[in-house]
PDB file of all heavy atoms in Angstrom:
ATOM      1  N   ILE R  38      -5.320 126.920 132.284  1.00 98.00           N
ATOM      2  CA  ILE R  38      -4.776 128.068 131.282  1.00 98.00           C
ATOM      3  C   ILE R  38      -5.787 128.177 130.280  1.00 98.00           C
ATOM      4  O   ILE R  38      -6.165 127.094 129.547  1.00 98.00           O
ATOM      5  CB  ILE R  38      -3.415 127.719 130.719  1.00 98.00           C
ATOM      6  CG1 ILE R  38      -2.299 127.718 131.878  1.00 98.00           C
ATOM      7  CG2 ILE R  38      -2.918 128.841 129.788  1.00 98.00           C
ATOM      8  CD1 ILE R  38      -0.844 127.317 131.436  1.00 98.00           C
ATOM      9  N   ASP R  39      -6.289 129.385 129.929  1.00 97.00           N
ATOM     10  CA  ASP R  39      -7.310 129.632 128.990  1.00 97.00           C
ATOM     11  C   ASP R  39      -7.016 130.776 128.169  1.00 97.00           C
ATOM     12  O   ASP R  39      -6.683 131.880 128.725  1.00 97.00           O
ATOM     13  CB  ASP R  39      -8.648 129.909 129.654  1.00 97.00           C
ATOM     14  CG  ASP R  39      -9.879 130.130 128.687  1.00 97.00           C
ATOM     15  OD1 ASP R  39      -9.772 129.438 127.573  1.00 97.00           O
ATOM     16  OD2 ASP R  39     -10.601 130.894 129.026  1.00 97.00           O
ATOM     17  N   PRO R  40      -6.875 130.651 126.707  1.00 97.00           N
ATOM     18  CA  PRO R  40      -7.334 129.442 125.982  1.00 97.00           C
ATOM     19  C   PRO R  40      -6.306 128.409 126.043  1.00 97.00           C
ATOM     20  O   PRO R  40      -5.299 128.343 126.674  1.00 97.00           O
ATOM     21  CB  PRO R  40      -7.337 130.041 124.644  1.00 97.00           C
ATOM     22  CG  PRO R  40      -6.305 131.159 124.644  1.00 97.00           C
ATOM     23  CD  PRO R  40      -6.252 131.750 125.998  1.00 97.00           C
ATOM     24  N   GLN R  41      -6.685 127.185 125.435  1.00 96.00           N
ATOM     25  CA  GLN R  41      -5.904 126.090 125.449  1.00 96.00           C
ATOM     26  C   GLN R  41      -4.564 126.289 124.759  1.00 96.00           C
ATOM     27  O   GLN R  41      -4.420 127.051 123.926  1.00 96.00           O
ATOM     28  CB  GLN R  41      -6.694 124.749 124.832  1.00 96.00           C
ATOM     29  CG  GLN R  41      -7.886 124.336 125.576  1.00 96.00           C
ATOM     30  CD  GLN R  41      -8.518 123.167 124.981  1.00 96.00           C
ATOM     31  OE1 GLN R  41      -8.236 122.853 123.795  1.00 96.00           O
ATOM     32  NE2 GLN R  41      -9.365 122.463 125.810  1.00 96.00           N
ATOM     33  N   GLU R  42      -3.548 125.434 125.242  1.00 97.00           N
ATOM     34  CA  GLU R  42      -2.252 125.493 124.432  1.00 97.00           C
ATOM     35  C   GLU R  42      -2.408 125.273 122.923  1.00 97.00           C
ATOM     36  O   GLU R  42      -3.273 124.509 122.502  1.00 97.00           O
ATOM     37  CB  GLU R  42      -1.365 124.361 124.976  1.00 97.00           C
ATOM     38  CG  GLU R  42       0.175 124.694 124.663  1.00 97.00           C
ATOM     39  CD  GLU R  42       1.037 123.708 125.345  1.00 97.00           C
ATOM     40  OE1 GLU R  42       0.611 122.604 125.704  1.00 97.00           O
ATOM     41  OE2 GLU R  42       2.172 124.023 125.386  1.00 97.00           O
ATOM     42  N   SER R  44      -3.417 127.513 120.882  1.00 97.00           N
ATOM     43  CA  SER R  44      -4.429 128.391 120.292  1.00 97.00           C
ATOM     44  C   SER R  44      -3.713 129.604 119.702  1.00 97.00           C
ATOM     45  O   SER R  44      -2.574 130.122 120.063  1.00 97.00           O
ATOM     46  CB  SER R  44      -5.460 128.866 121.434  1.00 97.00           C
ATOM     47  OG  SER R  44      -6.035 127.828 121.950  1.00 97.00           O
ATOM     48  N   ILE R  46      -3.303 133.230 119.505  1.00 95.00           N
ATOM     49  CA  ILE R  46      -3.556 134.387 120.529  1.00 95.00           C
ATOM     50  C   ILE R  46      -3.637 135.643 119.830  1.00 95.00           C
ATOM     51  O   ILE R  46      -3.807 136.661 120.493  1.00 95.00           O
ATOM     52  CB  ILE R  46      -2.439 134.522 121.595  1.00 95.00           C
ATOM     53  CG1 ILE R  46      -0.902 134.477 120.860  1.00 95.00           C
ATOM     54  CG2 ILE R  46      -2.389 133.238 122.518  1.00 95.00           C
ATOM     55  CD1 ILE R  46       0.169 134.631 121.894  1.00 95.00           C
ATOM     56  N   THR R  51      -5.675 137.714 125.032  1.00 96.00           N
ATOM     57  CA  THR R  51      -5.852 137.660 126.543  1.00 96.00           C
ATOM     58  C   THR R  51      -5.704 136.208 126.932  1.00 96.00           C
ATOM     59  O   THR R  51      -6.175 135.263 126.314  1.00 96.00           O
ATOM     60  CB  THR R  51      -7.331 138.069 126.879  1.00 96.00           C
ATOM     61  OG1 THR R  51      -7.549 139.403 126.522  1.00 96.00           O
ATOM     62  CG2 THR R  51      -7.519 137.933 128.419  1.00 96.00           C
ATOM     63  N   ILE R  52      -4.899 136.052 127.992  1.00 97.00           N
ATOM     64  CA  ILE R  52      -4.645 134.694 128.592  1.00 97.00           C
ATOM     65  C   ILE R  52      -4.907 134.639 130.067  1.00 97.00           C
ATOM     66  O   ILE R  52      -4.386 135.560 130.726  1.00 97.00           O
ATOM     67  CB  ILE R  52      -3.113 134.258 128.198  1.00 97.00           C
ATOM     68  CG1 ILE R  52      -2.854 134.098 126.718  1.00 97.00           C
ATOM     69  CG2 ILE R  52      -2.787 132.930 128.838  1.00 97.00           C
ATOM     70  CD1 ILE R  52      -1.452 133.962 126.352  1.00 97.00           C
ATOM     71  N   PHE R 125       1.838 129.002 122.541  1.00 98.00           N
ATOM     72  CA  PHE R 125       0.760 129.617 121.721  1.00 98.00           C
ATOM     73  C   PHE R 125       1.272 129.937 120.357  1.00 98.00           C
ATOM     74  O   PHE R 125       2.513 129.946 120.152  1.00 98.00           O
ATOM     75  CB  PHE R 125       0.142 130.721 122.441  1.00 98.00           C
ATOM     76  CG  PHE R 125      -0.568 130.435 123.634  1.00 98.00           C
ATOM     77  CD1 PHE R 125       0.091 130.740 124.902  1.00 98.00           C
ATOM     78  CD2 PHE R 125      -1.850 129.922 123.660  1.00 98.00           C
ATOM     79  CE1 PHE R 125      -0.538 130.467 126.117  1.00 98.00           C
ATOM     80  CE2 PHE R 125      -2.447 129.598 125.062  1.00 98.00           C
ATOM     81  CZ  PHE R 125      -1.700 129.845 126.201  1.00 98.00           C
TER      82      PHE R 125
END
Side-chain angles (χ1 to χ4, degrees):
I38 297 179
D39 183 35
Q41 293 182 344
E42 192 173 25
S44 297
I46 53 175
T51 300
I52 296 171
F125 295 101

